[in-house]
Amino acid sequence: MNSLNIRGGLSPLGAFQQQQQRKRDENRHAKRLQGETAGSHQDGPVSLVIPPRLQAQVAGLTRIIVDGEAGISLIQTAEAALHELLRLLEQLQKLAGYASTGMENNLVLRNADQRELENVLLNIDHISEVTSYGPEKLLDGSHEVHGVAQGEYLEFVSATAETQTAPVSGYDVVITRAPAPSTLLGLQPLTRELLQAGEQLWFREKQKQHRFRAQQGEDHQQFLKRLNYELQGVGLPLNVKLRADQLLEVEHQYWGSEPTFEAASSTAGILGSKQGTVRKANPGIDVAGQIDGVEALGKGPFIHVPTGYGRVGGICLRINGRTPQVQLPLHGSVSLFQNALRFGSHAAPLRLNMRSVCSADLGRHVPNYSGFENLSDLNITTAQGGKDALLLIEQAKQEIYDQLEEVGSFRTRRLQGQLLQLREKHTKLVPEAEQLNNEHQAHAAAIATSKLMQEDQMSGLQAQASHSPTSLQSLLD
């Protein structure tokens, strides 16, 4: 007799226990779905049910947007400090302007003006030192390009955020032409007889001019001393000297092809070719050379490579000192370390060069009779000191204006423009993530419902089989 293989039915107690387990599983699954939905609303569009690639995109965009907003705040902090520096420079300009008139004869008051000037300079240095955003110092030179020039007569001036850090050996520099100022050489000797006759000279540079007359009883040394003093007093950047052959030689203080002047004399050949005829100076010379093999542009004693010309784009050097006897070509090098502020992604960062604005770094490279090298050297206790101080202060103001223009353009055209694009991309990406999130939850709910329905059917069959003999046939193998 064939034996029957029968699937044993559940007892009533077993069916009840399985039904209770099914309810517990159903409640647990419902809570899990509810938790995922709540988590998606609480934590934003990126939840654990979104594909990792999309999660990374949304999170990365969010992080870059937050960093971009912080970068804009950083630049606005620097802009506010630069505007305050302009206000302080205007205070210096007023003090120097009053001193340059020579109207203040009281030594006590002149010293008081000097102390006030020094207090303003201390405030400038304080702004340079303390202006920061978080841990980042902004205007103390921490985030500018640092450079050192090696070679006689070479001096590093500046570089831009695009300039690349130099190799260990530095970038090669070759000077092929030395700079020189415009000059005018007399054609006839200035004799003592002409001095006693009251020789007259006339000079003009841009909008400034001056007429000078020799006095009876003056010798050549007295004549030259008084002439140069008066030229300084009216702000003409000219030096006059007498050569051994008694020919007058006039030289512009600024080097290069642009600064020029003209002169005339009451006697033909002293300065003018004819009596009372204006004669133009011989043009000056701009420096010329190459940096890292790239042909650089020369302007007076300054030589620079425009931005966009390879790794040395933005470098500016200066030829200092007198160079007529320099044997050309002059060889040297320049070493650079790029430490500009970085914004955006590490793969394609945006850089901004934040130069130092302390008094020792403002108003440099300005020729003046007092020998001031920067704002920290200013002394306005004399009229000449006041006049020379005005030259340096004007240069410093231009430097601050240039930096304001640079950071303002960087903020509006680069950071804000990039931030707008990122926000648009983020706006498009988030709905896509939310849609995927909803589709995933709906799919998960459908699978869970189907599974519960299957379990209900099996439980019903098993319970029925345990009580009804007619269901035994369905349990046979």
Side-chain angles (χ1 to χ4, degrees):
M1 182 178 179
N2 294 333
S3 62
L4 295 177
N5 293 325
I6 301 175
R7 297 175 183 169
L10 294 177
S11 65
L13 179 59
F16 175 77
Q17 290 176 342
Q18 185 174 20
Q19 186 177 15
Q20 293 299 314
Q21 182 64 39
R22 178 178 58 79
K23 289 182 178 180
R24 286 194 295 270
D25 292 341
E26 179 182 356
N27 291 335
R28 185 167 57 252
H29 182 71
K31 288 180 180 180
R32 183 174 64 84
L33 286 179
Q34 184 178 4
E36 288 179 350
T37 305
S40 66
H41 291 292
Q42 181 178 357
D43 300 333
V46 182
S47 65
L48 294 177
V49 298
I50 300 178
R53 178 187 60 82
L54 198 55
Q55 286 187 45
Q57 287 182 346
V58 175
L61 278 177
T62 303
R63 183 171 59 255
I64 295 174
I65 289 173
V66 171
D67 291 343
E69 291 171 343
I72 291 175
S73 298
L74 181 150
I75 290 184
Q76 289 172 336
T77 301
E79 286 177 310
L82 291 172
H83 281 293
E84 178 62 18
L85 284 174
L86 283 176
R87 187 186 68 81
L88 293 174
L89 289 174
E90 289 173 358
Q91 290 184 23
L92 291 181
Q93 202 166 34
K94 291 179 181 178
L95 290 169
Y98 184 69
S100 67
T101 63
M103 297 176 60
E104 184 55 72
N105 296 320
N106 189 314
L107 180 59
V108 175
L109 294 179
R110 291 203 301 269
N111 289 334
D113 288 342
Q114 176 65 24
R115 287 193 296 272
E116 185 175 352
L117 178 141
E118 291 171 355
N119 285 333
V120 176
L121 292 177
L122 287 175
N123 288 334
I124 290 175
D125 290 339
H126 179 71
I127 290 176
S128 172
E129 178 63 28
V130 304
T131 301
S132 60
Y133 187 85
E136 300 290 346
K137 295 287 186 69
L138 302 181
L139 300 176
D140 67 342
S142 299
H143 293 288
E144 66 178 336
V145 182
H146 301 279
V148 177
Q150 293 87 27
E152 192 175 15
Y153 304 112
L154 289 179
E155 179 184 354
F156 173 78
V157 177
S158 64
T160 66
E162 285 74 25
T163 310
Q164 296 183 21
T165 297
V168 176
S169 59
Y171 296 127
D172 290 333
V173 178
V174 181
I175 303 299
T176 57
R177 186 176 65 215
S182 58
T183 58
L184 185 65
L185 181 63
L187 305 174
Q188 296 293 332
L190 177 65
T191 64
R192 188 175 180 82
E193 290 74 22
L194 289 174
L195 290 180
Q196 299 306 313
E199 179 66 27
Q200 296 184 55
L201 305 176
W202 177 85
F203 304 89
R204 180 169 66 189
E205 195 264 353
K206 294 183 179 178
Q207 303 302 317
K208 296 180 180 179
Q209 57 181 319
H210 183 63
R211 188 179 298 277
F212 181 82
R213 185 186 183 104
Q215 296 178 353
Q216 281 191 341
E218 280 186 326
D219 59 20
H220 286 97
Q221 185 177 1
Q222 293 169 332
F223 170 83
L224 289 176
K225 183 177 180 180
R226 190 166 60 88
L227 172 58
N228 282 311
Y229 180 79
E230 289 190 15
L231 290 175
Q232 292 177 29
V234 297
L236 282 170
L238 304 174
N239 291 319
V240 184
K241 56 185 178 182
L242 189 69
R243 300 198 331 178
D245 54 7
Q246 292 191 333
L247 294 179
L248 284 179
E249 185 177 13
V250 187
E251 183 178 276
H252 205 289
Q253 287 187 15
Y254 298 99
W255 292 358
S257 59
E258 291 185 6
T260 187
F261 64 95
E262 52 190 16
S265 58
S266 58
T267 300
I270 300 302
L271 283 179
S273 56
K274 297 180 180 180
Q275 180 182 2
T277 301
V278 174
R279 183 171 164 224
K280 292 185 177 181
N282 298 316
I285 301 174
D286 296 317
V287 66
Q290 300 91 33
I291 301 177
D292 195 36
V294 179
E295 195 70 30
L297 302 179
K299 184 176 182 180
F302 298 95
I303 183 169
H304 76 282
V305 178
T307 56
Y309 282 75
R311 59 182 184 173
V312 295
I315 293 180
C316 180
L317 305 177
R318 175 175 179 260
I319 305 299
N320 57 38
R322 297 288 176 176
T323 58
Q325 289 79 33
V326 172
Q327 185 176 359
L328 298 175
L330 176 66
H331 292 272
S333 64
V334 57
S335 299
L336 296 174
F337 176 68
Q338 178 62 262
N339 198 37
L341 283 169
R342 295 163 59 98
F343 301 86
S345 65
H346 292 285
L350 302 176
R351 291 187 175 93
L352 177 63
N353 189 29
M354 299 293 289
R355 293 178 291 275
S356 168
V357 296
C358 71
S359 59
D361 292 323
L362 291 175
R364 300 170 60 201
H365 312 306
V366 179
N368 61 92
Y369 291 106
S370 301
F372 301 149
E373 295 187 357
N374 50 63
L375 289 190
S376 66
D377 292 339
L378 298 186
N379 188 313
I380 58 172
T381 55
T382 65
Q384 186 60 49
K387 293 173 183 177
D388 292 335
L390 286 174
L391 298 176
L392 272 71
I393 294 168
E394 187 61 36
Q395 172 68 21
K397 287 181 65 177
Q398 187 59 51
E399 291 167 359
I400 299 301
Y401 279 126
D402 291 344
Q403 187 143 339
L404 267 172
E405 182 180 1
E406 182 178 351
V407 299
S409 176
F410 185 87
R411 172 175 55 81
T412 56
R413 296 182 181 181
R414 306 193 72 175
L415 283 187
Q416 290 181 342
Q418 184 188 65
L419 191 60
L420 180 62
Q421 295 177 354
L422 290 171
R423 283 174 173 161
E424 290 177 352
K425 188 175 181 180
H426 187 273
T427 301
K428 294 178 181 179
L429 196 60
V430 167
E432 179 183 347
E434 290 178 342
Q435 181 179 1
L436 287 176
N437 185 31
N438 294 335
E439 290 176 355
H440 179 90
Q441 291 186 4
H443 181 66
I447 293 175
T449 302
S450 175
K451 183 178 180 181
L452 291 175
M453 292 177 63
Q454 292 176 0
E455 291 177 352
D456 284 343
Q457 291 177 348
M458 289 299 299
S459 298
L461 289 173
Q462 290 171 345
Q464 185 177 5
S466 63
H467 292 86
S468 175
T470 59
S471 62
L472 285 176
Q473 187 61 39
S474 63
L475 301 177
L476 294 176
D477 286 333

